[in-house]
Amino acid sequence: MTAIIVSHRPADPGVYRFDLISTLRVGWRAMRRHREAHRILVALSRKPPRLLRDMGIDPERLYETLDGTFDEVGPAHLSRLLRSHGET
């Protein structure tokens, strides 16, 4: 069982800072998390669509997520129906 401690004051007052440096740090960390998540999506998008489906990931939604970015997935990863539509 987990115990929850409820207090009217924060445990460490040094954690809650509101100066310029702290704001920049928070922004920098958020940007790094966003870029890491994007790298993971790019790495997944380069896997075969069948493997993605086996992992429980919809490949088309993954490709839509990267649509318009520099790492956009080319037509080689799209379904056979979409590839044949572009060739006619």
Side-chain angles (χ1 to χ4, degrees), residues 28-87:
W28 182 259
R29 287 182 190 136
M31 183 183 72
R32 286 178 48 196
R33 280 192 304 269
H34 175 75
R35 291 184 68 187
E36 180 63 25
H38 184 78
R39 276 190 215 111
I40 291 169
L41 289 176
V42 168
L44 282 173
S45 71
R46 294 179 180 159
K47 304 283 184 205
R50 183 180 175 115
L51 177 65
L52 293 173
R53 279 190 214 95
D54 289 344
M55 292 168 57
I57 298 171
D58 182 18
E60 299 301 322
R61 288 201 59 197
L62 180 63
Y63 303 148
E64 288 173 6
T65 303
L66 294 174
D67 190 24
T69 65
F70 289 115
D71 302 304
E72 186 173 358
V73 178
H77 288 292
L78 297 177
S79 70
R80 194 171 27 137
L81 178 64
L82 291 175
R83 279 192 305 234
S84 65
H85 177 67
E87 292 173 359

Side-chain angles (χ1 to χ4, degrees), residues 1 7 11 13 15 18 23 30 34 47 68 75 81 83 87-88:
M1 179 183 265
S7 175
V15 174
F18 297 101
T23 303
H34 175 75
K47 304 283 184 205
L81 178 64
R83 279 192 305 234
E87 292 173 359
T88 54

Side-chain angles (χ1 to χ4, degrees), residues 20-32:
L20 179 64
I21 299 297
S22 296
T23 303
L24 292 174
R25 282 183 186 160
V26 168
W28 182 259
R29 287 182 190 136
M31 183 183 72
R32 286 178 48 196

